[in-house]
């Protein structure tokens, strides 16, 4: 892709995210989401490969469907309330529709089937953008509307995402698909705490980004795409191999690494709010995710 066109697409990505994050008007938030989606489509399809074209098409259909639901719910809410304010979700179906649409954009269970396939069809750098930057606009909208979203739907999405992500990640050999299920699992933890503590939500999101970006940068520099390639990482770069093992264990939430802290604080907050069954369920379902993280760590150490 021409560097000028690529820089323009990346600028539009940033601009769309800023518009969504700074907007308190539903229409402007929707415009920011559309700019963000339309800017990444050429980036997804720039390889001129059938897999990349398929991934771009799937991404476009899912994002447009979710954006249509968001626009419909905002129009429905504005028709009954007379305001386009994001924080005024008083009409009954609107919060539920908005939660489902944003979960579809993020790729939570059961609207998650597109995310692993799209990430597998693009290169690793584009997969990095999908798992990090593209999560920000929907998360900003969730942050602004957190106190008005239905808690039952949020908790169901959280439990199902942590369970299915760990279960599905066990059977994968492609690292991009594994990172997709890792993203789904971490988003499940964020949804679990969304209605209880927005500050903890931002902290968990920040820690997820700080752990995910380095692991993708290592995969890009070492051209590692499969678990088999991961086993040969020590022969090319012992430093990268060591960092990869540490980050995988951090993503799994092993103490005393950084990934353990947000999960610990989330469980403490849930127990404080008398949601002990939810905290127990999240802990048990996260063991599946921890298992495939430890599996990756073990494979990385085979050649050490």
């Amino acid at each position: 892709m021409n560097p000028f066109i690529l820089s323009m697409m990346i600028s539009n990505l940033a601009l769309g995210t800023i518009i969504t994050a700074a907007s308190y008007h539903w229409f402007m938030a929707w415009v920011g989401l559309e700019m963000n989606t339309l800017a990444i489509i050429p980036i997804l399809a720039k390889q001129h490969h059938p897999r990349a074209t398929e991934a771009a098409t799937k991404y476009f259909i899912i994002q447009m469907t979710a954006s249509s639901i968001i626009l419909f719910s905002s129009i429905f809410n504005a028709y009954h309330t007379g305001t386009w304010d994001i924080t005024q979700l008083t009409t009954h179906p609107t919060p539920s529709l908005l939660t489902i649409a944003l979960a579809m954009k993020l790729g939570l269970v059961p609207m998650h089937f597109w995310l692993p396939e799209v990430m597998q069809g693009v290169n690793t750098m584009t997969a990095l953008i999908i798992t990090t930057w593209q999560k920000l606009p929907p998360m900003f909208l969730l942050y602004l509307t957190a106190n008005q979203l239905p808690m039952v739907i949020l908790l169901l999405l959280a439990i199902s995402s942590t369970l299915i992500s760990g279960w599905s990640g066990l059977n994968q050999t492609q690292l991009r698909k594994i990172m997709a299920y890792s993203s789904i699992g971490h988003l499940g933890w964020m949804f679990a705490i969304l209605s209880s503590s927005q500050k903890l939500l931002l902290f968990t999101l920040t820690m997820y980004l700080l752990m995910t970006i380095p692991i993708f940068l290592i995969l890009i520099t070492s051209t590692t795409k499969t678990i088999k390639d991961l086993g040969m990482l020590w022969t090319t770069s012992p430093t990268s191999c060591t960092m990869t093992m540490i980050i995988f264990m951090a993503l799994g939430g092993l103490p005393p690494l950084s990934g353990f802290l947000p999960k610990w604080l989330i469980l403490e907050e849930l127990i404080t709010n008398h949601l002990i069954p939810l905290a127990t369920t999240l802990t048990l379902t996260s063991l599946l995710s921890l298992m495939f993280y430890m599996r990756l760590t073990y494979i990385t150490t085979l050649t050490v």
Side-chain angles (χ1 to χ4, degrees), residues 113-183:
F113 295 101
W114 65 270
L115 183 58
E117 297 301 323
V118 169
M119 287 187 61
Q120 185 59 31
V122 299
N123 58 32
T124 313
M125 179 58 75
T126 309
L128 169 61
I129 297 175
I130 294 174
T131 53
T132 54
W133 190 269
Q134 289 300 94
K135 304 297 183 188
L136 297 180
M139 292 303 296
F140 286 137
L141 292 179
L142 287 169
Y143 177 81
L144 292 173
T145 59
N147 294 324
Q148 304 173 71
L149 300 179
M151 190 173 182
V152 175
I153 295 179
L154 292 176
L155 298 184
L156 286 175
L157 290 171
I159 293 173
S160 59
S161 295
T162 54
L163 176 63
I164 299 300
S165 65
W167 193 267
S168 302
L170 287 172
N171 198 32
Q172 301 298 326
T173 58
Q174 298 291 328
L175 290 176
R176 280 168 292 180
K177 281 191 175 183
I178 290 175
M179 294 308 297
Y181 288 114
S182 171
S183 173

Side-chain angles (χ1 to χ4, degrees), residues 45-238:
K46 69 179 181 178
Q47 290 181 313
H48 303 293
H49 189 275
R51 290 294 298 274
T53 305
E54 180 185 353
T57 304
K58 288 179 179 178
Y59 187 85
F60 176 78
I61 293 173
I62 291 295
Q63 297 298 317
M64 288 299 106
T65 303
S67 295
S68 300
I69 297 174
I70 292 173
L71 186 60
F72 170 76
S73 62
S74 60
I75 292 174
F76 187 83
N77 186 71
Y79 177 78
H80 285 85
T81 62
T83 178
W84 286 82
D85 191 347
I86 287 180
T87 58
Q88 300 297 322
L89 298 176
T90 55
T91 310
H92 176 60
T94 303
S96 300
L97 289 174
L98 180 65
T99 304
I100 293 171
L102 293 176
M104 184 183 297
K105 274 189 167 294
L106 290 168
L108 268 80
V109 176
M111 293 81 68
H112 70 290
F113 295 101
W114 65 270
L115 183 58
E117 297 301 323
V118 169
M119 287 187 61
Q120 185 59 31
V122 299
N123 58 32
T124 313
M125 179 58 75
T126 309
L128 169 61
I129 297 175
I130 294 174
T131 53
T132 54
W133 190 269
Q134 289 300 94
K135 304 297 183 188
L136 297 180
M139 292 303 296
F140 286 137
L141 292 179
L142 287 169
Y143 177 81
L144 292 173
T145 59
N147 294 324
Q148 304 173 71
L149 300 179
M151 190 173 182
V152 175
I153 295 179
L154 292 176
L155 298 184
L156 286 175
L157 290 171
I159 293 173
S160 59
S161 295
T162 54
L163 176 63
I164 299 300
S165 65
W167 193 267
S168 302
L170 287 172
N171 198 32
Q172 301 298 326
T173 58
Q174 298 291 328
L175 290 176
R176 280 168 292 180
K177 281 191 175 183
I178 290 175
M179 294 308 297
Y181 288 114
S182 171
S183 173
I184 295 169
H186 281 86
L187 287 171
W189 282 86
M190 296 178 206
F191 266 59
I193 201 62
L194 180 59
S195 59
S196 302
S197 174
Q198 287 75 54
K199 292 182 179 179
L200 192 51
L201 166 70
L202 293 179
F203 176 69
T204 307
L205 177 61
T206 303
M207 293 303 299
Y208 165 74
L209 295 177
L210 291 177
M211 291 184 291
T212 302
I213 292 174
I215 195 68
F216 267 103
L217 293 178
I218 292 174
L219 297 181
I220 292 168
T221 55
S222 61
T223 63
T224 302
K225 296 181 179 180
T226 64
I227 291 181
K228 183 179 179 181
D229 298 334
L230 196 64
M232 301 301 295
L233 188 57
W234 179 266
T235 58
T236 57
S237 177

